[in-house]
Amino acid sequence: MSERGPAVVGRSLRLAIGTLTAIPVPAVTRVSPTIATGAMVLAPVAALPLGLLVGAIVWAGAQATIPPLAVALVALGALALGSRALHLDGLSDVADGLTASYDRERSLAVMKSGTAGPAGVVAIVIVLGAQAAALATYVDDVRSAVIAGLAVCASRAALWITCATGVPSARPDGLGSTFTERVPGWWTLLGWAGLVAAALLVDTWRGPVAVALAALVVLLLVGRAVRRFGGVTGDVFGAAIELALATLLIGLANA
């Protein structure tokens, strides 16, 4: 990469925050390949404010003895607002695209329309329901709240897979095309291996298994997208994040 230095890191982080969250930051007017790569690599870091928000709500709910499921739903609602619900929209669009037609162009057109069909609604209900049911078990103590917040950040590592080199873009336009094939394969492997190792601190066997399963779920989604759509899109990015989060929350519940 030709660009170096703290300024590039700063622009990459701003791009990641501006793209993945609703936090207002100065716009990055020129997105070079290096900055696009940095933005995706720093995606979990950009999600730290959202992780802190979810963790704070979970902990506060436990102190106030509010029903755990209600706390979980509020936390997930705040997370959706904090990300402009872009990832949920991607999940809905991918579900509609996969069920609309076996024709690639028809599926991509359905995904680009932005409207939620029956499959998209069902996907959101099931995935959000799974996230809420799992997150309710974290409404306990500070440790559980911290794990919940970290799961939010770690779920953004799904982008290390969806944006890995060798994973093609389904179309030349759209948000996804800016970031497709920007994350080096070695970083994807090293980054996820690091997450698996870090998960040992949560639980010596459930932690690594949960992270490995999250990576597997994202890989399966990407494989399906490549076969059906010819590659990935921004919607696939969002769906991958939501599925990774659900897998992590379920896998780490009561750890």
Side-chain angles (χ1 to χ4, degrees), residues 5-229:
V8 174
V9 175
R11 288 197 293 272
S12 296
L13 185 57
R14 288 207 325 268
L15 179 60
I17 294 173
T19 303
L20 301 173
T21 78
I23 299 172
V25 293
V28 178
T29 56
R30 187 179 67 86
V31 180
S32 67
T34 300
I35 291 174
T37 297
M40 294 300 95
V41 167
L42 293 172
V45 178
L48 272 174
L50 301 182
L52 288 170
L53 176 63
V54 169
I57 292 173
V58 168
W59 179 82
Q63 307 314 301
T65 64
I66 298 172
L69 184 57
V71 176
L73 288 171
V74 170
L76 290 174
L79 180 59
L81 288 175
S83 59
R84 297 191 298 272
L86 284 176
H87 311 321
L88 289 171
D89 178 68
L91 175 66
S92 174
D93 287 344
V94 169
D96 285 333
L98 287 174
T99 58
S101 170
Y102 282 105
D103 178 74
R104 172 182 177 274
E105 295 302 327
R106 170 61 179 159
S107 293
L108 289 174
V110 168
M111 291 168 63
K112 195 173 183 178
S113 69
T115 58
V121 172
V122 170
I124 288 179
V125 169
I126 291 176
V127 174
L128 271 182
Q131 291 176 356
L135 187 57
T137 67
Y138 293 74
V139 185
D140 186 12
D141 54 18
V142 172
R143 179 178 182 275
S144 297
V146 170
I147 294 173
L150 290 175
V152 170
C153 296
S155 67
R156 275 53 184 172
L159 297 176
W160 298 347
I161 296 175
T162 61
C163 301
T165 53
V167 179
S169 176
R171 53 187 174 219
D173 59 340
L175 175 65
S177 60
T178 302
F179 302 104
T180 303
E181 296 200 74
R182 296 302 184 197
V183 179
W186 64 265
W187 175 266
T188 300
L189 293 173
L190 185 62
W192 275 95
L195 290 178
V196 169
L200 288 167
L201 300 175
V202 177
D203 186 277
T204 53
W205 72 272
R206 290 183 60 189
V209 169
V211 173
L213 284 175
L216 177 61
V217 167
V218 175
L219 284 169
L220 291 173
L221 173 66
V222 169
R224 183 63 171 164
V226 171
R227 290 192 299 272
R228 282 294 313 279
F229 311 139

